[in-house]
Amino acid sequence: MKFLLVAINAKYIHSNLGIYSLIKYAQDMFADRKARGEEFPEIQIEMGEYTINHQMEWILQDIYRRSPDVVGFSCYIWNILYVKELVRDLKKVLPQVQIWLGGPEVSYDAEAVLRELPEVKGIMAGEGEETFYHLVEQYMAEEHPAFLSAQPGLIFRKKDGGIHTGTPAPLMDLSRIPFSYGSLEGLEHRIIYYESSRGCPFSCSYCLSSIDKTVRFRDLDLVKKELSFFLDRRVPQVKFVDRTFNCKKSHSMEIWKFILEHDNGVTNFHFEISADLLDEDEMALMERMRPGLIQLEIGVQTTNPDTIREIRRKMDLVKLENNVRRVNSFRNIHQHLDLIAGLPYEDYESFRKSFNDVYRMEPEQLQLGFLKVLKGSYMEKMAGEYGLLYKSQPPYEVLSTRWLSYGDVIRLKGVEEMVEVHYNSGQFRTVLKELVKEFDEPFDLFQALAEYYEENRMTGISHSRLARYEILFRFIYENVPDIQNGNKAERYRDLLMYDLYLRENVKSRPSFAREQSPFKEAVKQFFIGEAKCPFLLKGYEEYDSRQISKMAHAEGMGDGSVVLFDYKNRDALLGNARAFRLVMKDGALIPSEI
């Protein structure tokens, strides 16, 4: 008998830890029974991983060719519509197949899902490892059971056509679950997901993790052994899926110490944390880490105290800000701070303040997200009281609230796009630091950019990187006060060119780029000197001056200086080229401070 567990991920680089874990648990349990001398029918358990970008017809064909007897789909807000389409068509081409669903998108209204999809045999609700193993046992006893015995975590159609609701699956000892990765074959270019704990001690009303307030931790000896597996194989990134990784200091500290002591110089570890929980011990440990060893995702969500209280969130904003700034000062850890628009008691002006508060913390990324009203969450129960209207289809994103109109949401969508393009891309860091001073608040800059794009009909268009620089230059020229002052205009021209070449040695130049002929001879002589006796450019020793001039870049600026961009030696945290300012002295370019 063949079981096929199907994951439809949002992107190719993602993988589905859930079905990896279910398969490995069941395989290990049956292997143990076989080792004890038990005899039972041969069981095949396979995995099918796809993405929402695959054509549905192709996925359907692939599942059909595999000829499974039982198919299980992992269901989330990003794939449930695809799953429903597949389920309906799969039953037509494989009428004998038994179809099961699992995951958060079907666990909290399982009966309604079964009524909507008569093609589905049942649903696995809650934690799935034990549930799936016992389900396979039942199929093993009878190839296509006419009815199933009651099993915690199973909601299914009974023999008489009714629906058996059952009891929730009991929470598992996390250390009993086997390591999900027997090998990394097929995962070479994907993010590796890993969990060292389940559950969350907090009760945020918009989050499903708050339902399971019992936080369980995996044995630290197991965790270290499994992290060694990733480190030995020099995996590029391991993303912990723990909801609040640092909720237990002894656990987080031990893991952070381990990866610091066993750093392979390559692997990056991603953690979702509460920054206000960090203390001096954790800070001192982080300060010692290699740039890029870890990155932190910090869910601020809002700085409105009324909103924080209403969403049942506990957060010391003063400590959070201080800790974020302290980590920033280390210059070795990428921080990603999140905000959510559409929360109760947060109107447009309140969100503007939350944005400005977080922007001033200077994270490497500021994620402006929109409330998603998840099934089973407290937020869903409170929707009526909040006047909360949201999309009827996944991902159930907010449309309006008592405090935020749909028009406000549209405006914030524009701000979100401008933040992604100009801030989170990291391509305009230098010019933004200057440009934001021209506005009363940081939010106002991004709002003005969104309005500029809308007025000039540039929204919804995929602009090239060079085009983004052209657009920003025009925006500055048309919106910055006193830009007609020659010095100010030239200053912004230089900042844009600096940012442009900081990331990559582009071959095409924007229309506003300064003419470089006055610097040509001095730059040529500089590269000749570096080829003969390297002083600034390390790692170019095997190349001649002409080759070096193509591999590095020298850009003449309005003040007569030249900025040298070294792409062989990049910033370990941001990936930007190393940059030097060169000034003319006695007819030659020499280094100066930058």
Side-chain angles (χ1 to χ4, degrees):
M1 175 168 252
K2 181 187 285 189
F3 289 78
L4 177 65
L5 294 189
V6 174
I8 303 176
N9 301 320
K11 296 179 180 179
Y12 172 76
I13 61 169
H14 296 169
S15 56
N16 189 303
L17 179 59
I19 62 172
Y20 281 66
S21 187
L22 264 62
I23 291 173
K24 191 66 166 62
Y25 184 84
Q27 287 175 337
D28 282 11
M29 292 294 286
F30 286 120
D32 287 346
R33 288 172 58 177
K34 186 169 286 188
R36 293 195 300 267
E38 286 191 47
E39 294 185 5
F40 42 80
E42 186 67 28
I43 298 285
Q44 285 181 270
I45 305 176
E46 296 182 359
M47 177 192 308
E49 271 199 286
Y50 313 95
T51 79
I52 59 175
N53 297 315
H54 282 118
Q55 291 186 358
M56 289 297 103
E57 176 67 18
W58 183 86
I59 299 176
L60 180 66
Q61 291 176 12
D62 191 63
I63 295 173
Y64 177 84
R65 291 190 186 100
R66 290 171 178 250
S67 302
D69 298 293
V70 182
V71 177
F73 289 92
S74 182
C75 302
Y76 297 88
I77 55 174
W78 63 78
N79 72 7
I80 186 63
L81 297 179
Y82 297 85
V83 169
K84 288 179 179 180
E85 178 183 338
L86 276 169
V87 161
R88 294 184 176 110
D89 290 340
L90 184 61
K91 197 66 175 177
K92 295 172 184 175
V93 296
L94 288 175
Q96 298 306 312
V97 76
Q98 300 265 299
I99 299 174
W100 286 79
L101 306 180
E105 189 56 25
V106 295
S107 288
Y108 300 99
D109 60 348
E111 290 184 66
V113 173
L114 289 176
R115 285 193 291 270
E116 179 188 356
L117 297 171
E119 298 87 355
V120 174
K121 176 71 174 179
I123 288 171
M124 294 184 289
E127 290 191 348
E129 286 89 356
E130 284 273 6
T131 304
F132 177 64
Y133 165 62
H134 290 303
L135 180 64
V136 175
E137 274 190 313
Q138 294 196 42
Y139 276 98
M140 189 170 64
E142 184 178 347
E143 187 169 350
H144 285 287
F147 62 94
L148 295 158
S149 60
Q151 171 67 42
L154 291 182
I155 297 95
F156 57 87
R157 301 183 192 281
K158 297 188 290 187
K159 190 176 183 179
D160 62 5
I163 295 175
H164 170 78
T165 56
T167 57
L171 300 180
M172 296 185 66
D173 176 355
L174 213 57
S175 298
R176 287 185 52 228
I177 299 173
F179 185 49
S180 300
Y181 302 99
S183 78
L184 296 178
E185 185 179 353
L187 295 171
E188 293 85 357
H189 305 292
R190 299 190 188 185
I191 298 171
I192 301 297
Y193 294 94
Y194 179 79
E195 65 177 346
S196 70
S197 66
R198 282 185 186 172
C200 183
F202 303 111
S203 303
C204 303
S205 62
Y206 51 81
C207 180
L208 290 180
S209 295
S210 63
I211 295 172
D212 176 11
K213 297 180 182 64
T214 306
V215 187
R216 291 153 290 144
F217 298 91
R218 193 163 177 81
D219 181 80
L220 282 168
D221 288 336
L222 278 176
V223 172
K224 292 175 184 178
K225 180 181 177 182
E226 291 159 1
L227 294 184
S228 293
F229 175 87
F230 300 134
L231 288 163
D232 291 345
R233 287 156 182 79
R234 302 173 73 80
V235 170
Q237 185 178 56
V238 176
K239 189 168 185 177
F240 277 66
V241 297
D242 305 41
R243 299 311 302 164
T244 307
F245 175 76
N246 64 325
C247 65
K248 182 180 177 182
K249 179 183 173 181
S250 60
H251 183 80
S252 58
M253 277 288 285
E254 194 68 20
I255 292 174
W256 280 338
K257 283 179 183 176
F258 181 83
I259 64 175
L260 173 61
E261 293 166 0
H262 297 81
D263 180 15
N264 61 14
V266 173
T267 303
N268 163 266
F269 294 90
H270 177 106
F271 302 94
E272 185 174 333
I273 70 161
S274 288
D276 54 321
L277 298 181
L278 295 173
D279 66 12
E280 284 299 318
D281 293 336
E282 291 164 307
M283 288 288 190
L285 188 67
M286 288 181 180
E287 191 171 10
R288 295 165 49 203
M289 291 179 172
R290 163 181 62 85
L293 175 58
I294 71 169
Q295 62 188 54
L296 303 176
E297 183 173 348
I298 300 165
V300 182
Q301 321 309 14
T302 178
T303 63
N304 182 326
D306 294 331
T307 302
I308 292 170
R309 184 169 52 254
E310 184 64 23
I311 63 176
R312 303 172 163 186
R313 189 168 175 81
K314 294 181 179 179
M315 183 168 54
D316 183 335
L317 280 171
V318 173
K319 189 174 181 183
L320 182 148
E321 180 175 358
N322 290 337
N323 285 345
V324 168
R325 291 188 182 279
R326 176 109 177 260
V327 172
N328 267 341
S329 72
F330 302 157
R331 301 295 300 156
N332 63 346
I333 295 172
H334 182 286
Q335 294 186 97
H336 177 148
L337 271 56
D338 296 339
L339 286 171
I340 296 178
L343 294 173
Y345 296 99
E346 185 109 88
D347 60 14
Y348 194 86
E349 281 304 309
S350 169
F351 188 84
R352 176 176 178 266
K353 181 181 183 304
S354 291
F355 181 97
N356 292 327
D357 290 340
V358 172
Y359 191 92
R360 290 191 180 95
M361 298 181 201
E362 298 184 328
E364 277 68 36
Q365 287 204 344
L366 197 172
Q367 182 67 47
L368 196 170
F370 291 81
L371 177 66
K372 295 172 178 58
V373 185
L374 304 179
K375 293 179 181 179
S377 68
Y378 181 72
M379 188 66 69
E380 182 189 37
K381 296 176 184 177
M382 296 296 290
E385 183 171 332
Y386 297 153
L388 177 54
L389 301 178
Y390 54 95
K391 292 182 180 178
S392 56
Q393 295 290 343
Y396 314 113
E397 193 171 88
V398 63
L399 293 171
S400 64
T401 71
R402 278 170 46 194
W403 304 272
L404 199 69
S405 70
Y406 183 53
D408 291 334
V409 170
I410 292 172
R411 291 172 72 195
L412 289 176
K413 287 281 185 180
V415 172
E416 176 200 24
E417 182 181 355
M418 293 300 99
V419 170
E420 285 298 312
V421 168
H422 297 97
Y423 188 88
N424 291 341
S425 69
Q427 296 175 7
F428 301 88
R429 289 184 182 276
T430 315
V431 72
L432 281 184
K433 285 183 180 179
E434 189 69 22
L435 185 56
V436 76
K437 298 174 187 176
E438 309 284 357
F439 293 81
D440 292 337
E441 296 285 356
F443 182 88
D444 301 341
L445 164 60
F446 296 97
Q447 179 179 262
L449 276 165
E451 291 169 354
Y452 184 78
Y453 266 70
E454 183 68 28
E455 290 165 3
N456 290 277
R457 300 183 181 276
M458 295 184 294
T459 55
I461 299 172
S462 180
H463 299 281
S464 69
R465 182 173 177 231
L466 207 61
R468 296 287 190 188
Y469 280 84
E470 297 274 11
I471 294 168
L472 187 56
F473 180 78
R474 294 199 301 271
F475 170 83
I476 291 170
Y477 204 83
E478 294 174 25
N479 290 272
V480 170
D482 303 321
I483 194 65
Q484 301 302 328
N485 177 319
N487 291 335
K488 197 170 192 179
E490 293 308 303
R491 171 67 173 155
Y492 277 110
R493 189 192 310 272
D494 285 348
L495 290 173
L496 283 165
M497 293 305 295
Y498 180 86
D499 277 337
L500 178 64
Y501 280 104
L502 194 61
R503 181 61 61 90
E504 63 179 307
N505 192 1
V506 294
K507 302 309 176 187
S508 298
R509 291 170 63 80
S511 61
F512 62 82
R514 180 174 286 99
E515 175 58 47
Q516 294 296 293
S517 55
F519 307 94
K520 188 174 181 180
E521 185 58 32
V523 167
K524 178 181 176 182
Q525 292 304 317
F526 170 80
F527 282 122
I528 289 173
E530 282 293 309
K532 290 178 179 178
C533 183
F535 178 66
L536 294 179
L537 297 173
K538 307 298 182 183
Y540 297 80
E541 289 78 8
E542 61 184 287
Y543 303 102
D544 62 31
S545 62
R546 186 171 175 276
Q547 291 171 316
I548 296 173
S549 69
K550 293 182 180 297
M551 298 168 69
H553 178 73
E555 182 72 16
M557 297 295 178
D559 61 0
S561 68
V562 171
V563 176
L564 174 68
F565 298 93
D566 176 6
Y567 300 103
K568 270 186 170 290
N569 298 286
R570 293 178 177 268
D571 177 274
L573 183 63
L574 302 176
N576 291 330
R578 190 179 180 189
F580 305 90
R581 186 173 295 279
L582 309 175
V583 294
M584 190 73 70
K585 186 175 182 180
D586 299 329
L589 290 172
I590 62 171
S592 177
E593 295 294 328
I594 190 165

